[in-house]
Amino acid sequence: MAMHHGLQRSGTNYLLLSLLRLGTPVLNYRDPARNDPRHKHCRWQSDKSTLIAPIARQYGNDFAPETIDALDAICRVPKGTAHVVATGEVEAALAAAPAGGDIALGKP
């Protein structure tokens, strides 16, 4: 059982497909509301000032877990759930962003 995470254009759709093809049950297979902690693009970083306005409006939250157990509790998933994170190159994400951008850079 797993949850998949990542910023837009980091490969989350590919990651999801790969996990499913490997037979891994993915708890956040369907995306809930964008500010829900189970959304694949949830912003987990403690410093939310790095979020650009459109992202802050859509994905804004006050989540900043310091441990995996805390993340599990916030997401309301069983303790020990695997959290698989897609990461991509910053340059590729910026090149793929539409005009005005919809990505946020910063430390998770």
Side-chain angles (χ1 to χ4, degrees), residues 83-102:
H83 294 271
V84 185
V85 180
T87 61
E89 295 296 322
V90 171
E91 294 81 9
L94 289 173
D102 71 345

Side-chain angles (χ1 to χ4, degrees), residues 59-99:
Y59 296 91
N61 64 65
D62 60 357
F63 310 128
E66 295 191 16
T67 67
I68 294 296
D69 288 343
L71 179 70
D72 288 344
I74 291 169
C75 292
R76 297 181 312 277
V77 298
K79 185 175 179 177
T81 295
H83 294 271
V84 185
V85 180
T87 61
E89 295 296 322
V90 171
E91 294 81 9
L94 289 173

Side-chain angles (χ1 to χ4, degrees), residues 18-94:
S18 297
L19 290 169
L20 293 174
R21 285 192 175 170
L22 289 169
T24 305
V26 179
L27 296 174
N28 60 343
Y29 172 77
R30 301 246 188 255
D31 287 327
R34 289 183 172 180
N35 63 348
D36 187 295
R38 291 165 295 184
H39 194 283
K40 67 184 174 191
H41 298 312
C42 183
R43 296 319 201 256
W44 293 107
Q45 68 266 39
S46 56
D47 180 5
K48 309 294 186 191
S49 69
T50 61
L51 301 178
I52 60 174
I55 293 295
R57 280 192 300 276
Q58 294 176 39
Y59 296 91
N61 64 65
D62 60 357
F63 310 128
E66 295 191 16
T67 67
I68 294 296
D69 288 343
L71 179 70
D72 288 344
I74 291 169
C75 292
R76 297 181 312 277
V77 298
K79 185 175 179 177
T81 295
H83 294 271
V84 185
V85 180
T87 61
E89 295 296 322
V90 171
E91 294 81 9
L94 289 173

Side-chain angles (χ1 to χ4, degrees), residues 7-11 86-97 103-105:
L7 296 179
Q8 289 95 330
R9 290 161 192 75
S10 66
T87 61
E89 295 296 322
V90 171
E91 294 81 9
L94 289 173
I103 61 172
L105 304 176

